[in-house]
Amino acid sequence: MSAAAQARRLRDPADLDITVLEQGRDVSYSACGIPYWVGGLVAGRDELIARTPAEFAAQDITVHTGTRAVGIDLAGGVVVAEDGRRFGYDSLVIGTGGRPTRPPSPGLDAPGVFGVHRLDDGAAIRAAIDAGTGPAGRPMRGLVLGGGYIGLEMAEALQARGLEVTVVLADPLPMQLLDADMAARVCGALREMGIAVHTDQAVREVLLDVDGRACGVRTDGGSYDADLVVLGLGMGPEVALAADAGLALGSTGAIDVDRSQRCRDHPEVFAAGDCAQTFHRVSGGVAHVPLGTHANKQGRVAGSVLAGRPARFAGILGTAVTKVGGLEIGRTGLCTTQAEQAGFAYRADTIEATTRAGYHPDAEDVAVKVITEQGSGQLLGAQIVGGQGAAKRIDVLATAIWAGMTAEDLAGSDLSYAPPFSPVHDPVTVAARVVSRTGQG
Ligand SMILES: Cc1cc2nc3c(=O)[nH]c(=O)nc-3n(C[C@H](O)[C@H](O)[C@H](O)COP(=O)(O)OP(=O)(O)OC[C@H]3O[C@@H](n4cnc5c(N)ncnc54)[C@H](O)[C@@H]3O)c2cc1C
């Protein structure tokens, strides 16, 4: 929809017909809001819809909902829908999104097991909570498989709805894209909230009751009862349509595109969002990081280019924020594992500080970790975990990395201060200074 809206901004309806095929009933919806809707913070489904098909129609963008594309004839310039309709095109944008990761474990399709991808998934989980009860005398038990940000946001949402919550993950710690020392803080926070976390356990099967409904999971470390199982096992690219048509995939498995979001062998075809491969600004390597921030920008680039205005996607840092309970989490750029994989000689420094002036009653602990290139002091990545006000500080670090700054540049930069917002030396500045003090950068 970002591509469609941008193309319409640049070209009149008399000049460009825009048609969108959507298999579901919603367009322009916030999957990101699903955990907050399930948790009861957001009142209704409609609040998660930014624009309806009717609103797009008013902009002369024709949206066919309930219309699944099942084939692309690249030579003929035609998309074929499941109901047999054929839609001709001069330019095509593929934005099929992501495909949730599902291990081949028995029972994952059973009633009582829920994905978290589309609004209908959110509605189904809400309905199950509203209808469900736990065994007599105890609350419902919710089990989340996976410790990524979606799994953790869902764990908090289920707890907010009164469920007893268990998170089971295959990795040693939640939040794979944090370093272990920072992820351990997240794990600790979950446990302090009363959420049971079982690590290093891959799921083997979903256990079913006599009615064939999920009643627990068995992992390679144990068995856990559950009245409701939520899957948060990660997201790959949804590329079946593109691959079947013969479009090239990149080494990440996502659709291979250039910086204009064009498919290299078919410049009349664009791909953007979770289905498309991109590149990392720091490592320079290819990347697939399914985030709405990237998807929207890439869609806008595709829409510009197909409408005739040159544009280039500038790459990603994988900047992301989330929270569990009162603990805010932010990350950007390379974590230490990624820095190592990218061949950097790096150092990592972590500082402990407070989110506001230490004497302010609302000051909370915050840890800032910066990863820099040894010698040059070039910022490669950063992670922040702490109380209220911690997470969005990552944007300062993301901007510094984006601009190619060194730790010393950042340590000397003019960041704001007043006691309700930060200590006189902001934690971000303090972390950068630790690196520059050693003569690096
Ligand atoms: C629970 C959750 C929380 C999230 N939170 C955040 C967050 O806080 N921050 C962030 O940056 N990102 C977040 N994301 C990720 C973000 O939602 C995605 O990166 C973003 O939606 C990707 O946009 P997209 O347009 O590529 O794909 P999608 O939004 O998935 O849209 C693709 C659309 O294509 C349709 N489609 C697929 N195949 C076909 C077909 N063959 N025919 C017709 N239609 C088809 C699908 O029905 C879908 O509507 C979250 C995701 C989830 C699930």
Side-chain angles (χ1 to χ4, degrees):
M1 300 318 299
S2 299
Q6 176 67 357
R8 177 53 76 230
R9 276 180 212 113
L10 297 176
R11 296 267 292 270
D12 290 337
D15 197 24
L16 181 70
D17 273 337
I18 304 177
T19 300
V20 176
L21 309 185
E22 165 56 52
Q23 63 187 3
R25 64 174 157 129
D26 307 305
V27 291
S28 210
Y29 54 89
S30 172
C32 316
I34 293 172
Y36 308 99
W37 177 36
V38 170
L41 205 63
V42 175
R45 179 187 184 118
D46 289 351
E47 291 187 37
L48 299 183
I49 295 174
R51 275 199 283 172
T52 62
E55 287 170 288
F56 282 106
Q59 286 185 286
D60 291 296
I61 294 170
T62 307
V63 178
H64 297 280
T65 52
T67 305
R68 178 171 167 73
V70 292
I72 304 171
D73 171 1
L74 291 171
V78 173
V79 174
V80 183
E82 200 168 30
D83 59 12
R85 276 183 295 168
R86 297 169 67 82
F87 297 85
Y89 65 83
D90 299 308
S91 297
L92 174 68
V93 179
I94 302 178
T96 43
R99 175 194 285 250
T101 306
R102 294 281 179 272
S105 316
L108 281 181
D109 293 329
V113 181
F114 300 89
V116 194
H117 191 198
R118 309 280 177 224
L119 296 187
D120 286 346
D121 297 324
I125 297 170
R126 280 181 61 93
I129 295 171
D130 291 344
T133 49
R138 56 176 300 170
M140 276 181 92
R141 292 156 302 184
L143 190 139
V144 176
L145 286 178
Y149 75 94
I150 292 178
L152 301 192
E153 288 173 5
M154 286 305 299
E156 184 176 350
L158 297 183
Q159 191 184 50
R161 295 294 304 275
L163 276 72
E164 250 174 32
V165 184
T166 300
V167 177
V168 176
L169 56 143
D171 294 320
L173 284 165
M175 307 279 320
Q176 241 187 349
L177 288 176
L178 291 181
D179 287 338
D181 55 332
M182 300 300 261
R185 296 168 195 253
V186 179
C187 201
L190 286 163
R191 288 181 172 140
E192 270 174 35
M193 286 163 69
I195 293 176
V197 185
H198 300 284
T199 60
D200 286 310
Q201 298 188 28
V203 61
R204 292 291 165 224
E205 67 172 321
V206 172
L207 304 169
L208 307 180
D209 65 14
V210 284
D211 300 322
R213 205 184 152 74
C215 62
V217 298
R218 184 175 63 79
T219 70
D220 46 19
S223 292
Y224 305 94
D225 295 337
D227 304 304
L228 182 149
V229 177
V230 171
L231 305 179
L233 296 165
M235 193 75 73
E238 175 54 76
V239 294
L241 193 61
D244 289 351
L247 292 164
L249 306 183
S251 58
T252 62
I255 303 171
D256 190 23
V257 290
D258 66 15
R259 290 185 61 181
S260 297
Q261 301 299 134
R262 286 184 195 272
C263 296
R264 293 176 208 277
D265 296 340
H266 286 273
E268 77 287 8
V269 181
F270 298 76
D274 286 2
C275 66
Q277 180 166 286
T278 189
F279 69 99
H280 199 286
R281 271 178 81 93
V282 177
S283 72
V286 294
H288 177 255
V289 180
L291 284 174
T293 44
H294 309 153
N296 275 289
K297 290 180 203 126
Q298 291 170 353
R300 199 178 158 92
V301 168
S304 288
V305 176
L306 80 80
R309 179 190 284 181
R312 279 154 77 84
F313 183 66
I316 65 156
L317 293 176
T319 309
V321 289
T322 188
K323 65 177 269 299
V324 287
L327 192 76
E328 297 188 359
I329 303 143
R331 58 94 54 220
T332 187
L334 306 178
C335 62
T336 53
T337 315
Q338 291 171 319
E340 200 164 318
Q341 280 165 356
F344 284 102
Y346 67 89
R347 55 176 285 169
D349 297 87
T350 306
I351 62 102
E352 310 284 342
T354 53
T355 50
R356 305 163 204 252
Y359 52 78
H360 191 282
D362 297 330
E364 293 182 76
D365 292 340
V366 60
V368 180
K369 180 168 191 171
V370 288
I371 294 129
T372 48
E373 188 181 32
Q374 274 184 19
S376 73
Q378 182 97 22
L379 290 158
L380 303 175
Q383 296 158 42
I384 303 183
V385 177
Q388 194 183 37
K392 284 297 272 180
R393 281 188 160 98
I394 204 70
D395 288 343
V396 173
L397 285 147
T399 307
I401 296 171
W402 193 267
M405 287 166 70
T406 63
E408 188 167 0
D409 294 332
L410 181 58
S413 56
D414 183 10
L415 302 187
S416 60
Y417 157 65
F421 301 102
S422 76
V424 66
H425 301 291
D426 191 89
V428 165
T429 317
V430 176
R433 198 182 293 154
V434 168
V435 185
S436 62
R437 207 169 38 211
T438 60
Q440 299 206 12

